[in-house]
């Protein structure tokens, strides 16, 4: 089982990228589990036909007197992708990072990985603040590799830099390794060159450029990934290429 965390600042297209990657990996024949680690709980929506699924924290709040089962928190989406949302606290109360820790503990307690035996687990993680629960996939042996979704925008690159610093700090202890960035283009002037320049300081390289495309929005309007809605499109080919590169890196242990 290969465990990969996808980080990025809020609004950068991280969940769109991760869900399309999950769909593409499933098309390559892998059994995939995607775990949303963002309080918005919308990571797997486009793998579930546009519907939101109950989160782990929601189920825990509802089932204080009832024993929770895996089928209460793990749902099968497009092409067999296993979908989980960690969830967040009641707005204004509690810590969102703590919700991730609670969700991970519950999945382990219920034997999710042993039961479903996924080939690849993708963690979709908010990366504006890499602390507490949001750093869980980097440490404690949860993720093997970390990819960062960024654009050529200053704040996206700033977040990427912070995430890499966190990975490097944890990496010294033998935890997850930084594997590179996925450039989700925003049509910034000379965007590839801007990101490549930043990476000279941050480290790493661009694994894949995902061009800005209206096809993505058209698919999301249907509650689907591009890979499902428009499998023959140029954008679907981009995500399939990304999936192949990530599996090649995983097989080689490339960081």
């Amino acid at each position: 089982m290969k465990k990969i965390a996808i980080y990025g600042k809020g609004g950068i297209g991280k969940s769109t990228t991760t869900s399309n990657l999950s769909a593409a990996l499933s098309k390559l024949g892998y059994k995939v589990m995607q775990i949303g680690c963002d309080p918005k709980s919308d990571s797997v929506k486009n793998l579930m036909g546009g519907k939101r699924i109950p989160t782990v924290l929601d189920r825990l709040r509802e089932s204080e007197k009832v024993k929770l089962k895996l089928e209460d928190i793990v749902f099968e989406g497009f092409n067999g992708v296993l979908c989980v949302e960690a969830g967040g606290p009641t707005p204004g109360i509690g810590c969102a990072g703590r919700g991730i820790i609670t969700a991970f503990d519950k999945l382990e307690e219920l034997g999710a990985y042993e039961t479903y035996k996924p080939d690849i687990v993708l963690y979709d993680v908010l990366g504006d603040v890499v602390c507490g629960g949001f750093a869980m996939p980097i440490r404690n042996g949860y993720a093997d590799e970390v990819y960062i979704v960024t654009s050529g925008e200053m704040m996206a690159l700033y977040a990427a830099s912070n995430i890499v610093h966190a990975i490097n700090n944890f990496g010294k202890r033998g935890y997850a390794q930084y594997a590179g960035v996925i450039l989700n283009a925003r049509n910034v002037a000379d965007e590839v060159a801007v990101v490549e320049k930043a990476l000279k300081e941050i480290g790493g390289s661009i694994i894949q450029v995902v061009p800005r495309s209206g096809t993505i929005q058209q698919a999301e309007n249907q509650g689907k990934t591009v890979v499902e809605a428009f499998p023959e499109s140029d954008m679907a080919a981009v995500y399939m290429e990304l999936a192949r590169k990530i599996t090649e890196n995983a097989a080689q242990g490339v960081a």
Side-chain angles (χ1 to χ4, degrees):
M1 181 173 70
K2 202 70 178 177
K3 298 165 289 184
I4 299 169
I6 311 291
Y7 275 82
K9 74 175 289 294
I12 198 61
K14 169 181 50 62
S15 294
T16 296
T17 301
T18 306
S19 58
N20 273 283
L21 175 58
S22 288
L25 287 167
S26 76
K27 282 292 191 179
L28 291 177
Y30 295 96
K31 190 169 188 178
V32 184
M33 175 180 281
Q34 180 171 324
I35 303 176
C37 304
D38 188 316
K40 296 197 307 299
S41 306
D42 60 355
S43 175
V44 301
K45 184 177 64 175
N46 291 323
L47 291 164
M48 296 296 303
K51 298 178 181 178
R52 289 177 179 266
I53 61 174
T55 71
V56 177
L57 288 187
D58 285 342
R59 289 300 203 202
L60 285 172
R61 283 190 283 262
E62 294 168 0
S63 61
E64 291 179 1
K65 298 180 182 179
V66 180
K67 189 174 181 180
L68 202 63
K69 299 177 182 177
L70 276 174
E71 52 265 36
D72 295 324
I73 56 175
V74 181
F75 301 85
E76 189 170 307
F78 169 71
N79 206 35
V81 176
L82 300 165
C83 300
V84 180
E85 290 283 5
T90 302
I93 303 172
C95 170
R98 182 63 200 170
I100 296 171
I101 296 171
T102 302
F104 282 19
D105 287 347
K106 182 55 66 173
L107 286 168
E108 287 200 339
E109 178 189 323
L110 295 176
Y113 307 116
E114 294 81 6
T115 299
Y116 295 108
K117 296 180 172 60
D119 300 309
I120 300 173
V121 178
L122 294 178
Y123 301 101
D124 173 13
V125 195
L126 182 65
D128 291 86
V129 181
V130 188
C131 65
F134 292 105
M136 280 292 283
I138 299 175
R139 55 194 177 90
N140 290 10
Y142 281 105
D144 303 306
E145 298 170 0
V146 177
Y147 290 88
I148 301 170
V149 179
T150 189
S151 68
E153 298 162 309
M154 182 183 69
M155 293 309 296
L157 290 169
Y158 179 76
S161 178
N162 282 342
I163 296 162
V164 172
H165 282 307
I167 296 166
N168 289 339
N169 287 335
F170 287 124
K172 296 171 185 175
R173 307 175 202 177
Y175 294 150
Q177 300 179 68
Y178 170 45
V181 303
I182 300 164
L183 171 50
N184 196 36
R186 294 296 184 91
N187 293 341
V188 173
D190 300 317
E191 193 159 15
V192 172
V194 168
V195 174
E196 287 178 338
K197 181 179 179 182
L199 291 180
K200 289 179 181 179
E201 180 178 338
I202 296 171
S205 61
I206 298 172
I207 302 299
Q208 179 75 25
V209 176
V210 179
R212 196 168 181 84
S213 170
T215 306
I216 297 173
Q217 188 60 54
Q218 291 173 34
E220 293 191 343
N221 287 344
Q222 299 178 36
K224 297 177 180 179
T225 62
V226 171
V227 174
E228 177 183 6
F230 305 106
E232 303 302 321
S233 67
D234 290 343
M235 283 307 301
V238 169
Y239 289 118
M240 293 301 295
E241 183 180 359
L242 173 61
R244 291 187 186 94
K245 288 178 178 177
I246 284 180
T247 53
E248 287 169 7
N249 283 356
Q252 297 168 10
V254 175

